[in-house]
Amino acid sequence: MTGIGDDPFVTAVKPLVDAMGGEMLPPDQAGIDDVVLSWEGVDVIAVRLPQLADSLDHILAALERKRGKPLADLDRKAKQEVVRILEARGAFSVRHGVETVASALGVSRFTVYNYLNRENAAKDD
């Protein structure tokens, strides 16, 4: 990304792109599926968004970094909170999302479904 890294707009959007697991590149290298961001009428940066499955892996890694340890090492209550966060972010609409999350948490798919059902039951009360 030579030449665009010092742009204040790029600096401002970088944390968002990183949080999504996206990649920034010069606008002239944008592909058809990339999003070109403009500022004051000038194309400044292109953002290549990750595939949904890659996004889930990125979100899991970010949650692990935030907690400072592997998700599998969390206690039950913390794992339930992770499942709530992931559900709010649409993680379970991704193909194999439940399996991916269960693996990261070190629990069975059945346990993830129990966490989801428990959360949905609490909302209905």
Side-chain angles (χ1 to χ4, degrees):
M1 265 190 2
T2 312
I4 60 175
D6 295 334
D7 186 287
F9 181 76
V10 173
T11 302
V13 299
K14 185 176 183 334
L16 177 61
V17 173
D18 289 346
M20 294 184 314
E23 175 186 354
M24 297 191 306
L25 50 144
D28 62 343
Q29 293 180 16
I32 190 132
D33 293 329
D34 297 332
V35 178
V36 177
L37 302 177
S38 301
W39 184 255
E40 297 180 346
V42 177
D43 291 345
V44 179
I45 189 100
V47 177
R48 182 161 295 152
L49 299 172
Q51 298 297 316
L52 284 176
D54 294 335
S55 291
L56 179 53
D57 290 337
H58 187 78
I59 292 167
L60 288 166
L63 287 168
E64 202 164 81
R65 280 192 307 276
K66 187 175 184 177
R67 284 166 171 67
K69 60 181 167 181
L71 297 177
D73 292 347
L74 299 175
D75 63 27
R76 184 173 51 95
K77 186 173 181 175
K79 288 179 182 183
Q80 289 171 334
E81 176 64 21
V82 167
V83 168
R84 280 193 292 275
I85 291 167
L86 292 170
E87 182 181 28
R89 298 205 48 196
F92 302 109
S93 63
V94 176
R95 186 170 187 213
H96 302 298
V98 171
E99 292 87 347
T100 301
V101 171
S103 177
L105 293 175
V107 299
S108 68
R109 287 180 14 219
F110 180 76
T111 298
V112 172
Y113 283 119
N114 277 343
Y115 292 168
L116 288 168
N117 290 336
R118 181 171 295 145
E119 178 65 17
N120 290 332
K123 287 178 189 175
D124 293 340
D125 289 344

